[in-house]
Amino acid sequence: MAIRPSQNAMSEAVVITKGPGLIRRLSRGAANKLTRRRTSSAHIECNSSSGPLIMRSRSESNSGLEGGRDSLDLGHNENDEEAIEEPSDPGMDGSCDDSRGLPGGRASKLRGGGIGPAIPAILREGTFLIKISRKKKAKRKFVLDVDTAVVSWDPAKPSKRFCVDDVKEIRVGADARNYREEFGIPADSESRWFTIIYAEYERKGRLKALHLIAPDEGVFSLWTITLEKLSKYRIDMMSSLAQQGEKSLRAHWRREMAKQAATGLQVEGEEQMSLDRVEKLCRNLHINCSKAYLRTQFERADTDGTMSLTFPQFKEFIRLLKQRKDIKNIFGAIASKPESGLGESEFIDFLCGVQGVDVEAGRPHWLQVYAKFVRRSKPKEGVPGQALAARPSLMSFEAFSEFLSSPYNLALLTSPREPNLDRPLNEYFISSSHNTYLMGRQVAGESSIEAYIRALQRGCRCVEVDCWDGADGRPVVNHGRTLTSKVLFSDVIGAIGKYAFMSSPYPLIISLEVHCGPEQQVVMADTLKSTLGDRLVTEPLMTNSFFLPSPQELRHRILIKVKASEESDENTLLNDVAMGRDRISSPITRPAVLDNSSVPVATLGASPLQSSIPKRSLSTRSNGVVNGHLTGTSSSSTTDESDSKESADLRRKRKHSNIAKPLGDLGVYIRGQKYSNFALPESKSYNHVFSFSERTFENLYKDSDLKLQLEKHNMRYLMRLYPSVYRINSSNFDPNKFWRRGVQMVALNWQTYDLGTQMNDAMFGSGIDRTGYVLKPIQLRQSNHPSNILADSTVVRTKKGKKLVKFRIDMISAQQLPRPKNLGSDQGIDPYIEIEVLCADDKAKGAASGIGSPHRRRTRIIRDNGFDPIFNETFTISLETKFPSLVFVRWTVWNSVDGRSYGDRNGALATFTAKLSSLQQGYRHLPLYDGNGDQFLFSTLFCKIEKEEVVSIEEIDARSGKVETLIQLGRSMFNRTISIEKRTEDRTANTW
């Protein structure tokens, strides 16, 4: 962890840059958080664990093992003199700003024979801090137990302590100012105030903020810097252990020796570890395998039969545990001489032929990667000080194994360069949150700025703010008419302004739901302007332009979604009527507005936009084709007079706006409109947005005509969709149901990590998708050229063509699976893997996942092996879909309750969800996540993925038709030949 200083500038990169300290690195952008695994007895596990089991949150990472490993020492060679550039992925820098030593000149020296930070005695004994809460201020004695890494202020109560591994972030200075002001603490306490954000796993991993004031700046520095050093040490030790680094092994060994010496279990001068101590250490290191398996490997390493291990024997024991038998066959298949190693040309062939890597696009990079792992290969023979010339020139099996689990072999696609998101906003799916302020349930949950910070760190680009009148004239944010707590609107906007562009530089949308009176609406407008400054869009980028700008044009800008005031709304409608209501959104062509003159259709190309609109829908108010001509208003009206009369009638039916003009004017590009029908003039304004609950939307598309109008609307205008109010537990729907209809902002309850959130994380989880903007499939957005917008009405019933998607998954093995909750230490794990494929065409209900009828496959159950189970099962999956880019694959790890039957009422052990188009081919390690969306540090699935080229069904049918014709022709000729031969035989028989 690292102390978050005040941020002075917004990052210009698509992904966050490396921060100066560990807490900054952990908390920024969703790729950087390391926490401990949730269990039913989290504090007990913390007291025995050697370090965290959790790496970071899923939606914050999303690139396979793309977090935390690119900076780790692989442990093969400390003198790797030729460093090469690591993959540029946020949060993968393991560095921490070590320029600041501990107070008083204390350096990080060996303590008790182990490598680690020196913990000041005053913290071990305890210091008094003022604990601030909404109810009171209280002086409490805080004690740091370095052996268990637990900070407590009332040891008798488990709720009055936290583990260092659970700390997400420490905020100081300006970053904690919102909290200080909220509690009414004077500004002179700011230099001594620090807020610790940690996960309270006894309460399902919810985040909790601990606000503290130190008595002086010396004690303040002692706590903040020591917690940073200790957290970094524990994270580094556990991370490097995953790579079998000798430094980390020696550190763990020395720590155990120090413990044995302190308890009198060690004979002076001897450093050995018994089987019991080895078993306990393995549990602390999260090595979850049966005692029988541990004993077998222990006896193999105990070559002298003393039933204890020296350090060299301990290293061999760990090597035996970590040996990857599942990779040996792969290595043997690609290396001509496996016993010697893998040559450079063989490595390149493997990348091209198996991994699907375009090596020629970056050949120098891949040659450097090969050289890096060759240098880290251990020589088969040699002595210390071996000459450089004698070092191996081939990649060893151990180094190849490390490569397969390194950041150079990620499961998900990465973006080698900054994207150019140059299409209009309405052509993108946008990562969106509902009730963003809530940390828990929407009926009685807690409202907090932490929820906004967490969502923005995870890449959210549309946050919601529900505003109500505050008692003291200051607007507040909460879920109105419920038991949820309140937070000041000014605090929320302050936090949003501070964290808006930490994970993505592309535009952030603040969706306002306004329940305030006019006076406090003016306060809201002033707060937005003063806090967000020049980043807030207060006027169009271009005057007299009637199309939405692109994300590229709106980099580092903040948009407000709010309903228009009555005056602003009327002016907009008058301008729309004067300028023409249907306009073309294209960043390439900035067309003049079409008038009501006729344009011969014969001169225009066919349009996929209108090809889905039936003839009878042309009676609504939209651009249509009448008698072979395009009209700029409506096919049901052939005169300007009747058209204007209809528009006036519709305007009179609109509900009056209660939004104050200063606030309504901020809705420049995203102006909320209450839906009545698609014929209203405001439904044709380029900057309007409709918001629907899931139930209202579902009722709309039950009507075939409305469904087609809705899809056409979403090609050109924005729409936001949010969960039903009846989801009192803050559960989520299937987002694919609404993405397939072109809805741009599908808002989810991010505080609930269910399948809906997992799919959303996968949608925005890799490469340029991590910007929070994903270009919609071509069928769901406008064509590139204006001429394609015009189509002959005779083809509007054409259905979108389906595609055949085929791929294969070789489920090879799993590594260090997490233990189920409440499982005894002597009980083994009986794991199996379930693979689900979810696509936008799923319609049937009642499946186990609850969101459609996905393809589902299961492996066999592996008895008593959660450490390195090998499945070696292949699943070939074929499906037809209109949207290949909306196909998702989910892997779920289950534990069989009896080792024979499927299903576990205690829930899944871990899961991973990815968009099929984001998965890379070949042999990949898939990360695993717990029920809170936190990534396990060690646990992975090892698969081979092969994807075939997507082919249209029409093309397949055409090929099949030609083949069938040839078959029929051959069959008729063959039958005719038979008939001739039969008649000849009959005549011959008759002659006898």
Side-chain angles (χ1 to χ4, degrees):
M1 85 192 116
I3 297 141
R4 278 201 43 76
S6 175
Q7 182 150 352
N8 298 319
M10 294 299 164
S11 171
E12 288 293 328
V14 174
V15 295
I16 39 184
T17 55
K18 300 171 183 178
L22 184 56
I23 288 185
R24 172 184 291 275
R25 175 172 59 88
L26 297 183
S27 61
R28 282 178 125 195
N32 335 335
K33 178 172 67 339
L34 291 135
T35 67
R36 192 181 53 76
R37 167 179 174 265
R38 171 173 64 93
T39 68
S40 59
S41 55
H43 58 278
I44 296 176
E45 180 173 335
C46 182
N47 290 350
S48 62
S49 171
S50 296
L53 178 56
I54 288 295
M55 181 181 296
R56 56 199 166 113
S57 176
R58 164 66 178 90
S59 57
E60 306 164 4
S61 67
N62 315 327
S63 298
L65 290 183
E66 37 287 60
R69 289 203 174 186
D70 60 330
S71 60
L72 300 179
D73 182 2
L74 296 182
H76 291 300
N77 194 332
E78 297 179 16
N79 300 317
D80 188 2
E81 65 281 358
E82 295 183 29
I84 70 176
E85 184 177 356
E86 302 283 359
S88 56
D89 205 347
M92 294 196 300
D93 179 31
S95 65
C96 179
D97 183 7
D98 289 329
S99 60
R100 298 176 300 174
L102 289 173
R106 298 180 179 89
S108 295
K109 297 294 184 181
L110 302 184
R111 179 181 182 275
I115 300 175
I119 306 300
I122 187 174
L123 299 188
R124 298 198 298 269
E125 296 167 2
T127 67
F128 283 97
L129 303 173
I130 298 176
K131 181 177 176 292
I132 308 294
S133 67
R134 296 183 186 275
K135 297 180 180 179
K136 61 180 178 179
K137 305 175 187 177
K139 183 179 286 188
R140 295 285 184 265
K141 187 176 184 180
F142 283 76
V143 179
L144 171 61
D145 187 331
V146 65
D147 293 324
T148 62
V150 168
V151 176
S152 62
W153 55 99
D154 189 346
K157 297 180 180 180
S159 62
K160 304 300 182 182
R161 57 183 174 178
F162 65 86
C163 182
V164 174
D165 296 338
D166 296 336
V167 174
K168 310 284 187 177
E169 185 173 357
I170 295 180
R171 300 213 184 101
V172 300
D175 285 317
R177 186 172 300 158
N178 287 338
Y179 282 122
R180 180 183 59 75
E181 293 177 348
E182 179 182 351
F183 292 115
I185 304 300
D188 58 8
S189 298
E190 184 166 296
S191 62
R192 296 176 288 116
W193 175 292
F194 60 108
T195 295
I196 301 175
I197 310 298
Y198 65 95
E200 196 175 27
Y201 284 101
E202 290 83 353
R203 302 185 65 177
K204 299 185 178 180
R206 80 167 192 177
L207 293 182
K208 190 166 184 177
L210 178 63
H211 311 290
L212 302 170
I213 301 178
D216 54 59
E217 294 187 10
V219 174
F220 166 85
S221 297
L222 280 175
W223 275 106
T224 54
I225 295 177
T226 301
L227 289 176
E228 175 182 0
K229 296 282 187 180
L230 182 58
S231 177
K232 180 185 177 342
Y233 164 70
R234 291 172 66 84
I235 290 168
D236 288 349
M237 286 298 97
M238 296 301 289
S239 299
S240 57
L241 182 68
Q243 306 298 326
Q244 304 178 48
E246 181 167 335
K247 287 183 179 179
S248 66
L249 289 179
R250 187 173 294 278
H252 286 293
W253 176 267
R254 287 177 176 173
R255 180 180 176 182
E256 288 302 310
M257 293 302 102
K259 287 182 179 180
Q260 290 185 185
T263 55
L265 297 177
Q266 179 180 314
V267 179
E268 185 175 356
E270 294 184 6
E271 288 192 352
Q272 295 181 333
M273 195 179 300
S274 66
L275 176 59
D276 290 340
R277 299 294 297 180
V278 167
E279 289 177 349
K280 183 177 180 180
L281 177 60
C282 286
R283 287 196 299 271
N284 294 347
L285 297 179
H286 309 295
I287 298 176
N288 300 316
C289 50
S290 65
K291 286 188 175 182
Y293 183 79
L294 283 178
R295 177 180 287 274
T296 299
Q297 304 308 320
F298 181 92
E299 291 174 349
R300 290 179 61 186
D302 180 22
T303 53
D304 51 10
T306 61
M307 291 304 293
S308 61
L309 301 181
T310 61
F311 179 67
Q313 292 173 330
F314 176 71
K315 285 199 302 182
E316 176 64 12
F317 169 76
I318 295 296
R319 189 193 70 80
L320 292 172
L321 284 180
K322 297 281 187 176
Q323 196 172 48
R324 294 293 299 275
K325 299 176 183 178
D326 52 340
I327 296 179
K328 275 203 167 184
N329 293 335
I330 301 171
F331 190 74
I334 63 175
S336 57
K337 296 180 179 179
E339 65 281 358
S340 300
L342 186 68
E344 181 182 280
S345 62
E346 294 171 329
F347 178 72
I348 297 299
D349 290 343
F350 169 73
L351 293 178
C352 295
V354 179
Q355 302 299 89
V357 175
D358 183 6
V359 174
E360 295 307 316
R363 191 177 187 88
H365 166 76
W366 290 111
L367 293 179
Q368 284 184 307
V369 171
Y370 175 78
K372 183 184 185 78
F373 284 93
V374 165
R375 290 192 301 271
R376 294 186 176 183
S377 297
K378 284 187 177 181
K380 295 295 181 182
E381 296 179 359
V383 294
Q386 184 179 18
L388 289 177
R391 289 188 176 184
S393 59
L394 301 175
M395 185 187 293
S396 67
F397 166 71
E398 290 79 9
F400 177 72
S401 299
E402 296 292 352
F403 165 77
L404 289 181
S405 60
S406 75
Y408 301 103
N409 191 53
L410 300 177
L412 300 183
L413 294 170
T414 57
S415 179
R417 58 185 61 87
E418 187 172 334
N420 183 27
L421 308 182
D422 58 1
R423 302 299 303 166
L425 280 177
N426 54 285
E427 297 193 15
Y428 292 89
F429 295 126
I430 304 172
S431 181
S432 305
S433 166
H434 174 61
N435 287 349
T436 314
Y437 46 88
L438 288 181
M439 301 289 290
R441 296 182 301 137
Q442 61 178 329
V443 175
E446 178 186 358
S447 302
S448 172
I449 62 171
E450 286 304 322
Y452 287 97
I453 294 172
R454 183 173 172 84
L456 293 170
Q457 289 172 343
R458 293 169 63 187
C460 183
R461 293 292 84 198
C462 178
V463 296
E464 184 181 29
V465 183
D466 285 7
C467 312
W468 298 79
D469 281 331
D472 56 356
R474 295 189 294 173
V476 296
V477 176
N478 79 324
H479 201 203
R481 304 185 183 93
T482 65
L483 299 177
T484 57
S485 60
K486 301 175 183 178
V487 60
L488 287 175
F489 177 78
S490 58
D491 288 347
V492 168
I493 300 305
I496 291 175
K498 202 170 293 182
Y499 290 84
F501 302 107
M502 279 196 168
S503 64
S504 170
Y506 291 96
L508 174 69
I509 300 168
I510 300 178
S511 177
L512 296 180
E513 185 173 327
V514 183
H515 304 277
C516 298
E519 294 80 7
Q520 294 200 22
Q521 288 184 36
V522 174
V523 175
M524 289 173 57
D526 292 341
T527 301
L528 289 166
K529 291 176 182 178
S530 61
T531 305
L532 304 179
D534 293 339
R535 293 173 295 168
L536 181 66
V537 175
T538 57
E539 58 185 18
L541 302 183
M542 296 177 62
T543 57
N544 297 324
S545 177
F546 293 92
F547 56 86
L548 291 174
S550 68
Q552 193 72 27
E553 294 171 313
L554 290 168
R555 282 170 58 94
H556 293 112
R557 302 302 298 274
I558 296 176
L559 304 175
I560 301 299
K561 173 191 168 293
V562 65
K563 292 181 179 179
S565 64
E566 191 69 28
E567 180 181 348
S568 299
D569 204 9
E570 190 68 24
N571 291 336
T572 299
L573 288 174
L574 292 174
N575 289 335
D576 285 349
V577 171
M579 298 297 292
R581 281 173 295 260
D582 272 348
R583 298 173 179 88
I584 301 161
S585 295
S586 172
I588 301 173
T589 304
R590 317 253 175 174
V593 179
L594 293 174
D595 59 20
N596 290 338
S597 60
S598 297
V599 181
V601 171
T603 64
L604 303 172
S607 167
L609 171 64
Q610 291 196 353
S611 64
S612 63
I613 310 300
K615 293 180 182 179
R616 61 174 174 266
S617 70
L618 297 177
S619 62
T620 61
R621 295 199 54 79
S622 62
N623 278 347
V625 180
V626 179
N627 296 327
H629 292 77
L630 174 78
T631 64
T633 54
S634 170
S635 64
S636 65
S637 175
T638 57
T639 66
D640 291 341
E641 291 79 4
S642 60
D643 182 58
S644 299
K645 182 178 183 300
E646 183 181 349
S647 297
D649 292 339
L650 290 170
R651 282 198 297 273
R652 280 194 294 270
K653 296 179 181 179
R654 287 189 299 106
K655 181 180 179 180
H656 293 288
S657 172
N658 294 320
I659 301 299
K661 189 176 186 302
L663 184 60
D665 286 349
L666 297 180
V668 177
Y669 285 120
I670 309 179
R671 180 159 294 175
Q673 295 287 357
K674 183 175 178 61
Y675 169 78
S676 295
N677 58 61
F678 293 106
L680 286 172
E682 54 260 40
S683 70
K684 307 302 167 61
S685 59
Y686 78 102
N687 62 347
H688 83 275
V689 58
F690 286 142
S691 293
F692 294 111
S693 72
E694 58 176 300
R695 291 195 176 188
T696 302
F697 188 94
E698 288 170 350
N699 290 332
L700 275 180
Y701 71 70
K702 287 178 181 178
D703 182 283
S704 59
D705 285 344
L706 284 177
K707 179 177 71 174
L708 292 169
Q709 293 179 50
L710 186 149
E711 290 183 357
K712 178 187 175 184
H713 173 278
N714 292 342
M715 287 184 181
R716 308 180 67 174
Y717 311 111
L718 291 172
M719 183 175 288
R720 181 178 180 271
L721 192 130
Y722 54 90
S724 168
V725 68
Y726 296 104
R727 293 182 179 270
I728 58 175
N729 61 347
S730 294
S731 62
N732 288 299
F733 46 65
D734 171 14
N736 233 350
K737 291 195 303 183
F738 309 106
W739 286 329
R740 66 180 295 201
R741 303 298 179 192
V743 178
Q744 294 87 355
M745 292 175 279
V746 178
L748 298 174
N749 291 306
W750 283 41
Q751 69 270 33
T752 306
Y753 193 69
D754 54 14
L755 185 50
T757 306
Q758 293 168 26
M759 292 175 68
N760 190 78
D761 286 350
M763 168 65 86
F764 301 97
S766 68
I768 63 173
D769 297 346
R770 297 180 67 171
T771 62
Y773 287 84
V774 172
L775 191 65
K776 296 197 292 186
I778 187 65
Q779 305 98 312
L780 299 178
R781 56 188 174 91
Q782 289 236 3
S783 301
N784 289 336
H785 302 288
S787 61
N788 290 334
I789 293 184
L790 311 173
D792 192 331
S793 60
T794 59
V795 296
V796 294
R797 278 290 188 179
T798 303
K799 293 182 66 177
K800 304 180 186 75
K802 283 197 171 186
K803 307 290 194 301
L804 179 65
V805 177
K806 293 185 68 175
F807 61 99
R808 192 180 84 168
I809 298 175
D810 292 348
M811 189 61 248
I812 300 173
S813 62
Q815 293 73 46
Q816 288 189 248
L817 296 176
R819 292 182 66 80
K821 294 179 292 184
N822 304 319
L823 190 67
S825 59
D826 294 334
Q827 293 179 271
I829 303 175
D830 302 325
Y832 65 93
I833 313 298
E834 184 176 78
I835 300 174
E836 297 170 279
V837 180
L838 308 118
C839 66
D841 300 78
D842 293 336
K843 294 180 180 180
K845 301 296 178 184
S849 64
I851 64 159
S853 179
H855 300 262
R856 183 178 285 107
R857 306 287 189 273
R858 285 172 175 166
T859 66
R860 69 183 187 278
I861 298 170
I862 303 298
R863 296 292 302 271
D864 199 25
N865 187 359
F867 182 69
D868 59 351
I870 295 179
F871 301 96
N872 279 336
E873 296 189 47
T874 298
F875 304 103
T876 300
I877 298 172
S878 175
L879 57 92
E880 295 180 8
T881 177
K882 298 175 184 177
F883 308 104
S885 63
L886 297 180
V887 176
F888 297 82
V889 185
R890 180 168 76 154
W891 286 261
T892 305
V893 182
W894 297 90
N895 178 51
S896 174
V897 292
D898 56 8
R900 297 182 301 275
S901 57
Y902 291 98
D904 183 0
R905 60 181 177 271
N906 294 322
L909 300 182
T911 186
F912 173 67
T913 306
K915 194 163 51 175
L916 179 62
S917 59
S918 298
L919 284 168
Q920 298 203 78
Q921 298 202 82
Y923 294 98
R924 308 286 174 175
H925 285 87
L926 309 181
L928 290 173
Y929 299 82
D930 70 358
N932 295 317
D934 292 325
Q935 182 180 338
F936 290 103
L937 181 62
F938 299 104
S939 306
T940 57
L941 298 178
F942 187 48
C943 301
K944 183 182 180 184
I945 299 168
E946 296 181 19
K947 297 187 288 187
E948 296 186 12
E949 183 179 356
V950 177
V951 183
S952 68
I953 298 299
E954 290 85 352
E955 184 179 345
I956 296 174
D957 291 342
R959 292 176 184 173
S960 301
K962 292 178 180 179
V963 173
E964 184 63 27
T965 300
L966 291 175
I967 292 175
Q968 291 291 347
L969 180 62
R971 185 176 296 156
S972 62
M973 293 182 65
F974 181 74
N975 289 340
R976 183 180 177 187
T977 302
I978 294 295
S979 300
I980 295 173
E981 291 177 351
K982 180 172 178 57
R983 287 196 297 270
T984 302
E985 290 175 358
D986 290 343
R987 283 196 294 270
T988 304
N990 291 334
T991 60
W992 286 96

